[in-house]
């Protein structure tokens, strides 16, 4: 298979969709925000992917005041971790009580004491739908996930759940204001029930992506950093859940030194500077269109991984290489000390 070899000084990793797969929980949270606001879920999910929560919340939740934003972001991102952990916690609870999964009611979670977070309020907490398939294995350990399947959309899952909750043969007729109000209340209840059912039967655990562990293991300390659109609560929580130790240089969205987030190059430029290298001599691993554009704008060599988007969705973003995942990239060191180089071989 044809390959390309080149040298670099350091590596700048994006996190979600590049190192870890917590997209099921992240998209669930943004999908829930869309439901709250009466917007199209798929549109909101696409618009928010790879961007900072602070920027997304400022756009979709303009009522959040500036002095409330840090707390709102922290609450929102903590809810992502809660969504990711909910299936495993409920499964453990059922096992400890001797309850078989086959005989477990999908709505039992309503009485389990481990409910999904409520709909987002002025503190920007969110409820969740899920985007992973029930058959996917949990990977809370550091083992690489081998699944490459794209996840069903929030809108698809929610519409299916709601359709199953509607009475068959419901007549269509003129409604009074009182009837419409009652229908709206029933719809809210149906949505809540659908989301609770999803939390019970779908695994949204955070996973480490294929090839990531081997890639990190072969790069010396001080030669790689993480630059993510996630704030510290979410970023550190996601990495530690899959056995990745956040490197000393981990640039998160709430870093006050940042003037702008992706697709601006600021996160990668700051990460390279903190490592002591020119971004033009670094390699960026990214998965999202906005992140890829940020990497390109920084001057780095960008390797895009097709772990969250189909190739066709990221081909026009300027990446120097596009690969299935990190298993298609090898890295070895050459030389020692300050003269050390990282030698990359990319399979095309």
């Amino acid at each position: 298979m044809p390959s390309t070899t080149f040298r670099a000084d350091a590596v700048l990793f994006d996190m979600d969709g590049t190192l870890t797969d917590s997209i099921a929980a992240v998209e669930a949270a943004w999908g829930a925000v869309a439901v709250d606001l009466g917007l199209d879920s798929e549109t909101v999910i696409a618009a928010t992917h790879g961007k900072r929560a602070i920027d997304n919340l400022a756009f979709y939740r303009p009522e959040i005041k500036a002095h409330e934003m840090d707390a709102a972001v922290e609450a929102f991102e903590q809810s992502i971790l809660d969504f990711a952990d909910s299936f495993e916690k409920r499964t453990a609870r059922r096992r400890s009580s001797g309850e078989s999964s086959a005989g477990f009611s999908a709505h039992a979670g309503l009485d389990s004491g481990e409910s999904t977070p409520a709909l987002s309020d002025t503190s920007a907490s969110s409820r969740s739908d899920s985007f992973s398939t029930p058959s996917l294995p949990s990977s809370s350990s550091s083992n690489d996930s081998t699944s490459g399947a794209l996840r069903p959309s929030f809108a698809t899952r929610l519409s299916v759940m709601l359709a199953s909750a509607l009475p068959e043969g419901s007549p269509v007729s003129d409604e009074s204001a009182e009837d419409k109000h009652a229908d709206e209340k029933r719809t809210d209840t149906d949505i809540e029930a659908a989301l609770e059912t999803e939390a019970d039967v779908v695994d949204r655990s955070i996973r480490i992506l294929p090839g990531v562990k081997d890639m990190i293991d072969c790069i010396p300390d001080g030669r790689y950093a993480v630059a993510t659109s996630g704030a510290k609560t979410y970023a550190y929580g996601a990495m530690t859940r899959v056995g990745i130790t956040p490197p000393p240089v981990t640039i998160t969205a709430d870093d006050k030194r940042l003037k702008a987030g992706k697709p601006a190059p600021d996160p990668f430029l700051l990460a390279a500077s903190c490592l002591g290298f020119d971004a033009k001599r670094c390699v960026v691993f990214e998965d999202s269109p906005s992140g890829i554009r940020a990497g390109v704008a920084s001057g780095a060599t960008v390797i895009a991984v097709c772990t969250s988007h189909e190739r066709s969705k990221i081909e026009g973003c300027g990446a120097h290489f596009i690969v299935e995942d990190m298993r298609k990239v090898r890295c070895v060191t050459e030389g020692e000390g300050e003269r050390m180089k990282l030698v990359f071989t990319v399979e095309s």
Side-chain angles (χ1 to χ4, degrees):
M1 182 177 293
S3 62
T4 301
T5 299
F6 64 93
R7 289 163 174 76
D9 291 332
V11 180
L12 311 176
F13 292 107
D14 170 52
M15 189 195 73
D16 198 29
T18 301
L19 298 178
T20 64
D21 177 10
S22 54
I23 290 177
V26 172
E27 291 187 345
W30 286 119
V33 169
V35 170
D36 283 350
L37 300 176
L39 302 175
D40 177 70
S41 301
E42 291 183 341
T43 300
V44 172
I45 289 166
T48 56
H49 190 86
K51 300 176 183 175
R52 300 185 301 174
I54 187 172
D55 298 326
N56 292 327
L57 288 174
F59 181 80
Y60 287 106
R61 300 290 306 278
E63 74 276 12
I64 300 175
K65 297 178 175 60
H67 70 275
E68 299 171 333
M69 186 57 77
D70 285 349
V73 169
E74 183 176 356
F76 177 79
E77 297 203 340
Q78 180 58 52
S79 74
I80 295 173
L81 300 176
D82 292 341
F83 299 154
D85 294 341
S86 62
F87 179 85
E88 185 174 340
K89 288 180 178 178
R90 293 180 190 214
T91 300
R93 181 176 291 110
R94 294 199 295 272
R95 286 173 179 166
S96 65
S97 65
E99 191 172 14
S100 68
S101 58
F104 179 70
S105 167
H107 293 283
L110 291 171
D111 301 317
S112 69
E114 182 66 36
S115 61
T116 51
L119 282 170
S120 54
D121 54 19
T122 54
S123 65
S125 61
S126 299
R127 67 182 175 186
S128 174
D129 173 73
S130 176
F131 297 80
S132 63
T133 57
S135 60
L136 285 176
S138 173
S139 296
S140 56
S141 68
S142 61
N143 293 331
D144 284 2
S145 166
T146 57
S147 171
L150 296 178
R151 303 177 187 276
S153 71
F154 177 91
T156 299
R157 283 192 173 279
L158 187 58
S159 62
V160 170
M161 301 300 293
L162 288 175
S164 67
L166 292 174
E168 293 185 7
S170 298
V172 178
S173 60
D174 293 335
E175 294 180 307
S176 66
E178 183 178 345
D179 290 336
K180 290 181 179 179
H181 179 67
D183 285 344
E184 288 174 358
K185 290 182 68 176
R186 282 195 296 271
T187 299
D188 288 343
T189 301
D190 289 340
I191 292 174
E192 293 285 357
L195 294 175
E196 284 286 351
T197 298
E198 284 283 291
D200 282 335
V201 301
V202 181
D203 186 358
R204 294 167 299 189
S205 302
I206 299 173
R207 300 168 173 84
I208 190 168
L209 285 164
V212 168
K213 185 177 185 301
D214 288 342
M215 179 60 65
I216 291 177
D217 285 347
C218 71
I219 302 173
D221 292 342
R223 291 296 184 120
Y224 69 95
V226 170
T228 174
S229 293
K232 189 172 183 178
T233 296
Y234 164 53
Y236 280 67
M239 285 189 278
T240 55
R241 276 165 171 75
V242 299
I244 297 174
T245 300
V249 178
T250 296
I251 307 301
T252 57
D254 46 356
D255 193 312
K256 301 305 181 184
R257 294 172 293 181
L258 290 175
K259 294 183 179 179
K262 303 172 187 178
D266 301 38
F268 291 126
L269 292 174
L270 178 58
S273 176
C274 290
L275 287 175
F277 298 104
D278 187 338
K280 295 182 177 62
R281 293 293 307 160
C282 293
V283 174
V284 163
F285 281 93
E286 260 287 359
D287 72 298
S288 71
S290 63
I292 293 168
R293 293 188 180 100
V296 172
S298 75
T301 299
V302 179
I303 301 177
V305 289
C306 300
T307 47
S308 65
H309 291 73
E310 296 176 356
R311 181 180 288 263
S312 61
K313 301 295 185 183
I314 59 177
E315 280 181 331
C317 297
H320 300 85
F321 302 95
I322 301 178
V323 297
E324 179 184 354
D325 55 51
M326 284 192 204
R327 291 176 295 186
K328 298 295 185 180
V329 184
R330 298 191 304 277
C331 177
V332 297
T333 59
E334 179 182 84
E336 297 180 353
E338 295 182 357
R339 295 177 177 270
M340 179 188 293
K341 297 295 179 183
L342 304 179
V343 183
F344 289 90
T345 301
V346 182
E347 295 180 8
S348 56

